[in-house]
Amino acid sequence: MSLPLNIFKNKNVLVTGHTGFKGSWLSIWLRQLGANVIGYALDPVNQEDNFSRAGLKDNMVDIRGDIRDSSLLNKVFKKYNPEIVFHLAAQPLVRYSYEHPKYTYEVNVIGTLNLLEAVKSCKATKAAIIITSDKCYENQEWIWGYRENDPMGGYDPYSSSKGCVELLVSSYRNSFFNPKEYVKHNKVIASVRAGNVIGGGDWSKDRIIPDCINALKDNREIVLRNPKAVRPWQHVLEPLGGYLMLGAEILRNNTKFSGAWNFGPMEESIVSVEEITAKVIKYWGTGSYKALKSSSDFHEANLLNLDISKAKFNLNWKPRWNVDKAVEKTVEWYKNYNSTDVYKLCVNQINEYCSK
């Protein structure tokens, strides 16, 4: 990366949600940077995902706990004294949020509240990066990208919960972690919003890449719910690289990096679900798809885009892989996870990304 990340070496770093898709990739990257990684999360969804296949349980401190359990979370902070926290523990699915709205708000909002309280109480913690979503914005179906100071919103419970998290983080930043009063608390809090993230090891329900891979593995036709929906697609390493750069700057006691940040893809990577499916088939080597004639019972945004000017100019971060490269590296993982060392596969992709 353009900013040295060796600052993480020998640092105690807490990753909530480390058993999840993004959390597992972030934990591997931090391990490669020499960090002492402590993970706090529920059990992995299955044994096919990135956390399980990469054998991460044996390569970090692996703590299983519910983010809603404030007592256990505080014990983890007291025992390990993390200097920086990456908060990824969440209920991440839109359709699931319609079926389980109360659980979604409890995990995403109250869980983040518990995390912020633990950060506030732990003297050792200097920085916290709260991962939310591009869906936190009040979606107007604009053709231009949302900026960090645009209004929060959310049509569905998931999106709304992420908007609530952003408001919660902003409140805590103003009330307890104000950059102007840094000498009193010695903490910097930032929130980050990414686009539609793809990569190896994601088997979540109702996500286009897992849906494609499951169908292709079974020689079935891929079925598309919302083929014309346009999304900002990016490989998982893109936003994670941004989070790490941001965290590194904050650890250098730079209070100007407090606040909200977008980490989206380049403009040509903002394409439809149908286009991304065609690219998956291309790199897989075979397959076909069809679109459902009936519309979904649930509301889904048709157009979503992020303005990444702030990260590009103030953090010197920019996307490295276009949508074709992102799909190629994603398919590479799924083609090889049954026949190779998955931890090494992930490390090789991280090294390739960093060397560009």
Side-chain angles (χ1 to χ4, degrees), residues 233-248:
W233 307 97
Q234 58 189 151
H235 192 272
V236 64
L237 296 179
E238 297 280 19
L240 295 186
Y243 305 166
L244 289 170
M245 290 178 69
L246 180 61

Side-chain angles (χ1 to χ4, degrees), residues 256-272:
K256 78 173 185 178
F257 292 93
S258 173
W261 299 80
N262 287 340
F263 293 100
M266 54 192 75
E267 187 174 344
E268 56 265 36
S269 294
I270 303 170
V271 300
S272 69

Side-chain angles (χ1 to χ4, degrees), residues 6-19:
N6 55 9
I7 194 171
F8 290 105
K9 188 173 183 179
N10 297 323
K11 291 284 194 301
N12 286 354
V13 182
L14 175 63
V15 178
T16 70
H18 70 291
T19 60

